[in-house]
Amino acid sequence: MHLCFATQNRHKLQEIQALLPAGVSLVTPAELGCMEELPETQHTLEGNSAQKADYLFENYNIDCFADDTGLEIEALHGAPGVFSAMYAGKEKNAEANMRLVLENLHNCKNRKARFRTVITLILNGRKEVFEGILEGEILGKPKGSHGFGYDPIFIPKGFTQTLAEMTMQEKNQISHRSLAFKQLREFLAPIVS
Ligand code: IMP
């Protein structure tokens, strides 16, 4: 089965390919001739992942899926959420994003936060949605040098290290993204076997 994954990032595609059942072969939008940026103008993770998948299905008539991830902080009413990549500006600078989160949480006792990944799959014209959540807390200052994005200021519930102090393998065992893609894999497995 060919499935288009709504990413232009080859590295990400290979990573996800390795997680999916052997009968699933991923293609990029570029391989379908889609060179334009996929639209992502909605105000929720669900909306954005659906918008990207809808765009591929409507314009290229192919089975496909798209994902969207955000950091949701309770005391900030769910921000940065869908705006996680550009929280501090269009430059998508991870350091600036973390600084802004820490500033906005200054003197705030409630540090509860979660990462949430939403995947929208369109298969034979039918839509399925999968979600992965990693609960945790925002630290007072960054710690660790692995990972990306907000990893240095996020400690998963039940752990003492930030995501940036964990190895990639350790993070992958618990991450929001892994949980969401595990559900996608489990959904696809009986269909392609
Ligand atoms: P995307 O939807 O996977 O592109 O994620 C959007 C933004 O959320 C990223 O640019 C990061 O700022 C943040 N983010 C997503 N996943 C993670 C993660 O695993 N660790 C830290 N930050 C993340």
mmCIF file of all heavy atoms in Angstrom, residues 12 68-70 84-85 115 148-151 171 176-177, ligand 1:
data_model
loop_
_atom_site.group_PDB
_atom_site.id
_atom_site.type_symbol
_atom_site.label_atom_id
_atom_site.label_comp_id
_atom_site.label_asym_id
_atom_site.label_seq_id
_atom_site.Cartn_x
_atom_site.Cartn_y
_atom_site.Cartn_z
ATOM 1 N N LYS A 12 12.466 12.764 8.334
ATOM 2 C CA LYS A 12 11.267 12.439 9.114
ATOM 3 C C LYS A 12 10.515 11.276 8.441
ATOM 4 O O LYS A 12 10.040 10.361 9.098
ATOM 5 C CB LYS A 12 10.379 13.686 9.201
ATOM 6 C CG LYS A 12 9.282 13.610 10.234
ATOM 7 C CD LYS A 12 8.641 14.970 10.459
ATOM 8 C CE LYS A 12 7.392 14.873 11.296
ATOM 9 N NZ LYS A 12 6.667 16.136 11.418
ATOM 10 N N ASP A 68 0.453 16.867 13.368
ATOM 11 C CA ASP A 68 0.724 18.191 13.912
ATOM 12 C C ASP A 68 0.926 18.025 15.420
ATOM 13 O O ASP A 68 0.201 17.260 16.058
ATOM 14 C CB ASP A 68 -0.429 19.153 13.623
ATOM 15 C CG ASP A 68 0.046 20.605 13.617
ATOM 16 O OD1 ASP A 68 1.255 20.840 13.447
ATOM 17 O OD2 ASP A 68 -0.783 21.513 13.794
ATOM 18 N N THR A 69 1.920 18.725 15.951
ATOM 19 C CA THR A 69 2.261 18.585 17.369
ATOM 20 C C THR A 69 2.343 19.949 18.032
ATOM 21 O O THR A 69 2.765 20.921 17.399
ATOM 22 C CB THR A 69 3.637 17.879 17.515
ATOM 23 O OG1 THR A 69 3.535 16.574 16.979
ATOM 24 C CG2 THR A 69 4.068 17.779 18.975
ATOM 25 N N GLY A 70 1.974 20.015 19.304
ATOM 26 C CA GLY A 70 2.124 21.266 20.044
ATOM 27 C C GLY A 70 2.363 21.007 21.521
ATOM 28 O O GLY A 70 2.039 19.938 22.044
ATOM 29 N N SER A 84 3.232 26.442 18.486
ATOM 30 C CA SER A 84 4.478 26.092 19.174
ATOM 31 C C SER A 84 5.728 26.450 18.374
ATOM 32 O O SER A 84 6.697 26.953 18.936
ATOM 33 C CB SER A 84 4.501 24.598 19.505
ATOM 34 O OG SER A 84 3.532 24.319 20.490
ATOM 35 N N ALA A 85 5.739 26.187 17.082
ATOM 36 C CA ALA A 85 6.954 26.420 16.279
ATOM 37 C C ALA A 85 7.293 27.903 16.216
ATOM 38 O O ALA A 85 8.461 28.283 16.208
ATOM 39 C CB ALA A 85 6.771 25.858 14.872
ATOM 40 N N PHE A 115 2.691 17.546 25.822
ATOM 41 C CA PHE A 115 2.863 17.541 24.372
ATOM 42 C C PHE A 115 1.738 16.706 23.793
ATOM 43 O O PHE A 115 1.376 15.661 24.345
ATOM 44 C CB PHE A 115 4.196 16.882 23.985
ATOM 45 C CG PHE A 115 5.383 17.789 24.083
ATOM 46 C CD1 PHE A 115 6.328 17.612 25.072
ATOM 47 C CD2 PHE A 115 5.561 18.815 23.168
ATOM 48 C CE1 PHE A 115 7.421 18.453 25.163
ATOM 49 C CE2 PHE A 115 6.661 19.663 23.249
ATOM 50 C CZ PHE A 115 7.589 19.472 24.250
ATOM 51 N N PHE A 148 15.113 18.524 20.512
ATOM 52 C CA PHE A 148 14.851 19.775 19.791
ATOM 53 C C PHE A 148 13.687 20.500 20.474
ATOM 54 O O PHE A 148 13.101 20.007 21.443
ATOM 55 C CB PHE A 148 14.536 19.499 18.313
ATOM 56 C CG PHE A 148 13.198 18.828 18.101
ATOM 57 C CD1 PHE A 148 12.089 19.563 17.678
ATOM 58 C CD2 PHE A 148 13.036 17.476 18.342
ATOM 59 C CE1 PHE A 148 10.849 18.951 17.491
ATOM 60 C CE2 PHE A 148 11.799 16.860 18.164
ATOM 61 C CZ PHE A 148 10.716 17.604 17.733
ATOM 62 N N GLY A 149 13.361 21.666 19.924
ATOM 63 C CA GLY A 149 12.190 22.421 20.391
ATOM 64 C C GLY A 149 12.237 22.693 21.889
ATOM 65 O O GLY A 149 13.232 23.183 22.422
ATOM 66 N N TYR A 150 11.179 22.329 22.575
ATOM 67 C CA TYR A 150 11.031 22.627 24.003
ATOM 68 C C TYR A 150 11.596 21.519 24.902
ATOM 69 O O TYR A 150 11.388 21.550 26.121
ATOM 70 C CB TYR A 150 9.546 22.836 24.329
ATOM 71 C CG TYR A 150 8.904 24.000 23.575
ATOM 72 C CD1 TYR A 150 8.304 23.809 22.332
ATOM 73 C CD2 TYR A 150 8.913 25.288 24.117
ATOM 74 C CE1 TYR A 150 7.722 24.865 21.637
ATOM 75 C CE2 TYR A 150 8.331 26.345 23.440
ATOM 76 C CZ TYR A 150 7.734 26.128 22.197
ATOM 77 O OH TYR A 150 7.158 27.179 21.518
ATOM 78 N N ASP A 151 12.300 20.557 24.341
ATOM 79 C CA ASP A 151 12.800 19.419 25.129
ATOM 80 C C ASP A 151 13.567 19.835 26.395
ATOM 81 O O ASP A 151 13.370 19.216 27.452
ATOM 82 C CB ASP A 151 13.698 18.513 24.266
ATOM 83 C CG ASP A 151 12.874 17.597 23.366
ATOM 84 O OD1 ASP A 151 11.647 17.533 23.550
ATOM 85 O OD2 ASP A 151 13.467 16.953 22.488
ATOM 86 N N LYS A 171 13.581 8.810 24.806
ATOM 87 C CA LYS A 171 12.476 9.719 24.475
ATOM 88 C C LYS A 171 11.440 8.993 23.611
ATOM 89 O O LYS A 171 10.238 9.117 23.830
ATOM 90 C CB LYS A 171 13.007 10.975 23.765
ATOM 91 C CG LYS A 171 11.903 11.935 23.374
ATOM 92 C CD LYS A 171 12.387 13.184 22.657
ATOM 93 C CE LYS A 171 11.217 13.935 22.046
ATOM 94 N NZ LYS A 171 11.605 15.091 21.244
ATOM 95 N N HIS A 176 4.913 11.584 22.874
ATOM 96 C CA HIS A 176 3.618 11.858 22.263
ATOM 97 C C HIS A 176 3.587 11.375 20.806
ATOM 98 O O HIS A 176 2.655 10.716 20.379
ATOM 99 C CB HIS A 176 3.370 13.372 22.323
ATOM 100 C CG HIS A 176 4.615 14.168 22.016
ATOM 101 N ND1 HIS A 176 5.688 14.191 22.874
ATOM 102 C CD2 HIS A 176 4.986 14.895 20.951
ATOM 103 C CE1 HIS A 176 6.660 14.914 22.361
ATOM 104 N NE2 HIS A 176 6.265 15.345 21.177
ATOM 105 N N ARG A 177 4.685 11.666 20.075
ATOM 106 C CA ARG A 177 4.730 11.280 18.656
ATOM 107 C C ARG A 177 4.728 9.759 18.519
ATOM 108 O O ARG A 177 3.996 9.204 17.717
ATOM 109 C CB ARG A 177 5.998 11.861 18.012
ATOM 110 C CG ARG A 177 5.849 12.193 16.523
ATOM 111 C CD ARG A 177 7.104 12.791 15.929
ATOM 112 N NE ARG A 177 7.896 13.533 16.874
ATOM 113 C CZ ARG A 177 7.648 14.790 17.244
ATOM 114 N NH1 ARG A 177 6.659 15.447 16.702
ATOM 115 N NH2 ARG A 177 8.406 15.389 18.145
HETATM 116 P P1 IMP B 1 5.564 19.690 14.392
HETATM 117 O O1 IMP B 1 4.074 19.751 14.218
HETATM 118 O O2 IMP B 1 6.083 18.282 14.626
HETATM 119 O O3 IMP B 1 6.308 20.425 13.308
HETATM 120 O O4 IMP B 1 5.896 20.472 15.769
HETATM 121 C C1 IMP B 1 5.602 21.851 15.939
HETATM 122 C C2 IMP B 1 6.488 22.460 17.013
HETATM 123 O O5 IMP B 1 6.202 21.868 18.297
HETATM 124 C C3 IMP B 1 7.987 22.221 16.822
HETATM 125 O O6 IMP B 1 8.545 23.202 15.978
HETATM 126 C C4 IMP B 1 8.516 22.334 18.243
HETATM 127 O O7 IMP B 1 8.646 23.682 18.633
HETATM 128 C C5 IMP B 1 7.386 21.716 19.052
HETATM 129 N N1 IMP B 1 7.614 20.254 19.250
HETATM 130 C C6 IMP B 1 7.009 19.253 18.581
HETATM 131 N N2 IMP B 1 7.437 18.062 19.008
HETATM 132 C C7 IMP B 1 8.337 18.328 19.981
HETATM 133 C C8 IMP B 1 9.142 17.478 20.816
HETATM 134 O O8 IMP B 1 9.124 16.231 20.744
HETATM 135 N N3 IMP B 1 9.940 18.110 21.684
HETATM 136 C C9 IMP B 1 10.004 19.467 21.805
HETATM 137 N N4 IMP B 1 9.295 20.294 21.046
HETATM 138 C C10 IMP B 1 8.458 19.721 20.140
#
